[in-house]
Amino acid sequence: MLTAPVIVIASFAYVGLLFAIAYYGDKRADAGRSIIANPYIYALSLAVYCTSWTFYGSVGRAATSGIGFLPIYLGPTLMAALWWYVMLKIIRISKQNRITSIADFVASRYGKSQMLGGLVTIIAVVGIIPYIALQLKAISGTFLIVLQYPAFTTPENQGAPLFLGDNTFYIAMLLAAFTILFGTRHLDATERHEGLVAAIAFESLVKLLAFIAVGLFVTFWLYDGFGDIFGRAGQTPQLSALLTLGGESGSYATWASLTFLSMAAIMFLPRQFQVTVVENVDERHLTKAIWLFPLYLLAINIFVLPITFGGLLHFPDGTVDADTFVLTLPIVERQPWLALFAFIGGLSAATGMVIVETIALSTMVCNDLVMPVLLRLRALRLTERRDLSGLLLGIRRGAIVLILVLGYLYFYLAGEAYALVSIGLISFSAVAQFAPAIIGGIFWKGGTRTAAFCGLAAGFLVWTYTLLLPSFAKSGWLPITFLSHGLFGTDLLKPQQLLGLQGLDDITHCLFWSMLVNIGCYVGVSLIKGPNAAEHGQATVFVDALKHPPAAPGSHFWRGSASVNDLLLLVGRFLGPESAQEAFASYARSRGARSPEALSADANLVHHAESLLAGAIGSASARVMVASAVEEEPLGIDEVMNIIDEASQVLAYSRQLEQKSRELEAATNELRGANQRLQELDRLKDDFISTVTHELRTPLTSIRAFSEILNDNPRLEEGERTKFLGIIVKESERLTRLINQVLDLAKIESGAAEWHSSEIDMREVLEDAVTAVSQLFRERKIDLTVELPQKVPGIVADRDRLMQVMLNLLSNAAKFSERAPGKVTVALAQQSGFLRVEVSDNGIGISAVDQEVIFEKFRQVGDVLTGKPQGSGLGLHISRRIVEHFGGRMWVRSRPGEGACFSFNLPLAREPVLVKAA
């Protein structure tokens, strides 16, 4: 049975396990053996995107809008496809500039502006407060539900006293304690938390397995699989409507706006920036995350609709909140351990989000909001303190508590009026305001600090007016007339029908107006007044990040004088003297110096010191502190442009070298190819010489041998003498034929061949050729069939040359046909302005590989002399050249073992004369 002690012990045991994983991860990192240097752990840590909204809220949204829950996961999937360039660029920029938060990123891009970093922090904190309230609502609500086991009614939390009388407040404080222990035990110049990332990756597995376990239980235990549950839903009109686009699932505008919001959220939520960018240990891990993270989203959403339909079929009267179906279905079916596992899964989803989000926000509050103010208060004399690391940790811990208290207050004031998903979408709309400044900042050098500030401020004000304040009005904390009649009773100022715009849902309406003013201000103000020197320098660093080498890009934009000791003391004030000494010693070793004292305080060292400080107090505050310790000579816009021009010239020269290198490589490949062709020609030449020598030697040997016999035996019998003389004549003819072929080829290739063209009857050519070889076919017992039409048009060609072609094809057919029963067919036909001749046999056939090779000069089927067919390998090549000379084409069709069919066609004469059969 599930009792309160069991639930509490299981919850604390789970959190203790997370602590153990985080502790182990930190120890391994300290020993230089990182356990998160793994692309799979990196991809799992990105699943911190899936909070209690996913675990509970997706089912709740599906219960009201059906497949309308999908855009929240389609957006990240689409965005992941662009990570190979967009996210890679952000990670590269952040590593080069030691950026620790999304506020730090924006501030650093626009001239390291403290004001801009502070505004981003305010927007992030205010925008994320509802999201944290969502997690508190999920944890407190599901805890009260599971406590009632085996009952399954949804408890009411309204009316509980604020703070100490409310269980949710204690949950918030426990989460604050967990977050402080997880993320602010010590100060790290890189702001990386390897143990935390390992714990988050483990949490991602737990919530995935828990959700799948409930899905399997509902789909295959309560019902007979997907077909059964969807079949039953299809029989209910209210449920079948949830499976169609439009209507209950939302309009196309709603799908488009939710997809855009989720695309922005996966990039710009502070926790996503923390795990994706700040905690990244290797850029190459991104390549696997591009497909692993969408795969995770698919896995955790497979059972959303089955659980939704199972809950709606189980509780048709609507008495149970659909957000709790994941928990109430196991409870009502008396499955205590599955219910506990589902509760732990939901707890995992919520605590993972709260811990990472509050760590990221506390870093932003400390670095971009509190420290800039404190450093300007001279009465505090912070610059005189030797070690401020304790103060930084105190500020971050206080910020964690404050953020969770604000989340609790929002939950108490407005949380009960909204479903989980609706609360989450309010936060998504807030962080979407970062998109123009960040995307514009990494791709457009013309964006300015003032423009980014105006755009963010305008978008945030519109978001507050059209979405945040209405949430308070719906909760009763503002007059409801604010929604129905607008500010000051002006209809055009209705927050959810601003300027009379109607027909859109609340989220789409807010997104339209906020993005319109945000982008409009960003682009408009940037075009009115261009960037100054500092903004130009940072714009070059960010926009050209993938073109720069990893080493200290910002050092090129600094000029002045400094002291190594002053810089060491400055860094030690915020990181601690020991950490600073170790960091400077490591830098000295990388520069080939024995100690920090041997270093020169050049621009690179100043940039290194600023980067170390940026990891602790943010880039904007780091710039201010470095400026207080060194004498910097300001650069004018002309000097910055000169530096940029020099860098551009270097890049252009580098590109020219790359182009020359590519051209040289291409030339090398061409030479290599030409060399291979020459080698092939040389080999063909050798083969040709070998073949021709062999063919010449054979008849010469015969002629000489029989001539010597006749000379040495004058009294040889008449019959034998006649026989030997016949052989000598035959071999002489063979020798003459071979020499003529070689000479013929030479003339054709040199263009010196004589062509005697006239209008001829192709049927007569074929008949004469067949007659000429008929004795050869009879000797070999080969059946020769001729298929000639009654009427054929005339063609213009050299009759003797065509006879040469036909005799070559027919002799080849006789040579390769089966002796008994051999069969050769000669056919003539008219086809599309051509006469086509075919000579087919039933011989050994030709493989597909050799069907083009045999038309090359000196080439025969087979590469060895032994077993090679008799001949020089020139006949087919000469025949093809002859046919092509008269505008025709020659080819072969064959399969091994099925004979071959050699074909060629010749164009008809322009003024054809019909030739009739005699």
Side-chain angles (χ1 to χ4, degrees), residues 481-563:
T481 54
F482 173 68
L483 291 177
S484 57
H485 298 91
L487 188 65
F488 309 126
T490 305
D491 286 346
L492 289 178
L493 296 180
K494 290 180 180 179
Q496 296 180 338
Q497 296 179 15
L498 194 62
L499 299 182
L501 181 62
Q502 301 180 15
L504 299 176
D505 62 272
D506 300 350
I507 301 299
T508 307
H509 176 268
C510 170
L511 182 65
F512 172 79
W513 285 114
S514 62
M515 284 293 105
L516 181 65
V517 299
N518 192 331
I519 297 173
C521 288
Y522 178 73
V523 175
V525 175
S526 294
L527 294 177
I528 291 172
K529 184 179 180 181
N532 59 29
E535 293 166 0
H536 247 303
Q538 289 301 102
T540 301
V541 170
F542 275 58
V543 176
D544 297 335
L546 297 181
K547 302 176 184 177
H548 285 309
S555 61
H556 301 293
F557 300 99
W558 185 89
R559 185 179 64 193
S561 59
S563 164

Side-chain angles (χ1 to χ4, degrees), residues 102-121 123 430-442 444-461 514-532 535 538-539 542:
I102 196 166
D104 199 14
F105 188 93
V106 176
S108 182
R109 162 61 180 86
Y110 298 99
K112 301 191 176 181
S113 168
Q114 289 183 331
M115 180 177 63
L116 196 54
L119 176 61
V120 172
T121 300
I123 294 174
V431 298
Q433 306 308 315
F434 299 146
I438 294 179
I439 298 299
I442 64 176
W444 184 38
K445 294 181 181 179
T448 67
R449 173 176 54 199
T450 304
F453 186 89
C454 291
L456 284 168
F460 178 60
L461 288 175
S514 62
M515 284 293 105
L516 181 65
V517 299
N518 192 331
I519 297 173
C521 288
Y522 178 73
V523 175
V525 175
S526 294
L527 294 177
I528 291 172
K529 184 179 180 181
N532 59 29
E535 293 166 0
Q538 289 301 102
F542 275 58

Side-chain angles (χ1 to χ4, degrees), residues 553-875:
S555 61
H556 301 293
F557 300 99
W558 185 89
R559 185 179 64 193
S561 59
S563 164
V564 175
N565 189 56
D566 289 342
L567 292 172
L568 183 58
L569 291 175
L570 176 63
V571 174
R573 196 172 294 140
F574 293 93
L575 298 184
E578 294 182 0
S579 297
Q581 185 69 33
E582 182 179 345
F584 270 65
S586 176
Y587 177 80
R589 287 192 297 270
S590 69
R591 292 283 173 168
R594 294 183 178 181
S595 65
E597 289 76 14
L599 291 169
S600 60
D602 56 9
N604 287 326
L605 180 62
V606 172
H607 180 80
H608 179 67
E610 186 175 330
S611 297
L612 291 173
L613 288 175
I617 60 175
S619 60
S621 297
R623 167 62 63 88
V624 172
M625 294 310 300
V626 167
S628 69
V630 302
E631 295 180 6
E632 181 176 1
E633 299 176 24
L635 293 174
I637 186 65
D638 294 336
E639 293 174 293
V640 172
M641 292 306 297
N642 288 336
I643 294 172
I644 294 173
D645 288 341
E646 291 176 6
S648 299
Q649 291 173 9
V650 172
L651 287 174
Y653 182 64
S654 175
R655 292 193 191 98
Q656 290 176 2
L657 288 177
E658 291 177 2
Q659 179 65 25
K660 294 296 182 183
S661 176
R662 286 194 292 268
E663 291 176 359
L664 181 59
E665 184 178 355
T668 302
N669 290 333
E670 289 179 5
L671 289 174
R672 186 181 295 113
N675 185 52
Q676 290 175 349
R677 288 192 295 274
L678 287 174
Q679 290 177 350
E680 175 67 10
L681 289 174
D682 188 60
R683 187 186 68 81
L684 291 175
K685 179 204 68 175
D686 292 341
D687 289 349
F688 169 68
I689 292 175
S690 175
T691 302
V692 172
T693 301
H694 174 75
E695 295 298 330
L696 290 173
R697 184 185 295 117
T698 301
L700 285 173
T701 301
S702 297
I703 292 171
R704 179 178 178 180
F706 286 107
S707 297
E708 289 177 350
I709 292 173
L710 292 173
N711 183 60
D712 295 341
N713 300 279
R715 298 180 181 180
L716 194 66
E717 292 182 4
E718 188 65 26
E720 288 292 318
R721 180 182 295 275
T722 303
K723 177 181 176 184
F724 292 165
L725 287 174
I727 294 174
I728 291 173
V729 172
K730 183 177 179 181
E731 292 299 318
S732 299
E733 292 174 349
R734 179 181 171 190
L735 183 60
T736 302
R737 203 164 44 243
L738 177 61
I739 294 173
N740 287 338
Q741 280 189 331
V742 174
L743 294 175
D744 210 12
L745 176 62
K747 289 180 180 180
I748 291 174
E749 291 190 337
S750 65
E754 295 182 1
W755 306 92
H756 303 286
S757 298
S758 62
E759 188 169 300
I760 61 174
D761 181 359
M762 194 63 195
R763 190 181 63 252
E764 290 182 359
V765 174
L766 297 183
E767 289 174 344
D768 291 348
V770 168
T771 301
V773 297
S774 59
Q775 182 59 33
L776 174 65
F777 279 77
R778 281 193 293 271
E779 291 174 357
R780 291 177 174 266
K781 298 181 180 179
I782 298 173
D783 182 20
L784 178 59
T785 304
V786 181
E787 298 175 357
L788 302 179
Q790 291 295 319
K791 300 177 181 180
V792 292
I795 61 172
V796 176
D798 187 325
R799 191 180 191 282
D800 292 338
R801 295 289 186 182
L802 293 186
M803 276 291 292
Q804 182 181 350
V805 171
M806 286 305 303
L807 290 174
N808 180 266
L809 294 180
L810 287 169
S811 61
N812 283 345
K815 191 187 304 179
F816 291 103
S817 292
E818 295 289 342
R819 284 188 172 272
K823 184 176 182 181
V824 173
T825 302
V826 178
L828 175 65
Q830 182 180 348
Q831 187 179 50
S832 303
F834 288 84
L835 283 184
R836 188 177 69 186
V837 178
E838 292 184 350
V839 179
S840 58
D841 61 63
N842 64 343
I844 59 175
I846 305 170
S847 68
V849 177
D850 293 325
Q851 286 180 20
E852 278 301 315
V853 173
I854 60 174
F855 288 104
E856 297 178 7
K857 54 185 174 182
F858 320 134
R859 298 296 290 267
Q860 295 173 288
V861 177
D863 289 324
V864 294
L865 210 58
T866 304
K868 183 183 292 186
Q870 187 178 17
S872 63
L874 295 175

Side-chain angles (χ1 to χ4, degrees), residues 62 367 411 719:
N367 293 356
F411 160 77

Side-chain angles (χ1 to χ4, degrees), residues 354-390:
V354 170
I355 290 171
V356 179
E357 200 79 82
T358 49
I359 287 175
L361 290 177
S362 68
T363 301
M364 295 165 64
V365 169
C366 176
N367 293 356
D368 298 283
L369 208 58
V370 178
M371 283 305 297
V373 174
L374 295 182
L375 291 173
R376 291 178 183 274
L377 297 177
R378 296 184 179 180
L380 297 178
R381 297 183 177 180
L382 294 182
T383 57
E384 299 178 8
R385 294 192 186 183
R386 179 174 172 79
D387 190 352
L388 294 174
S389 57

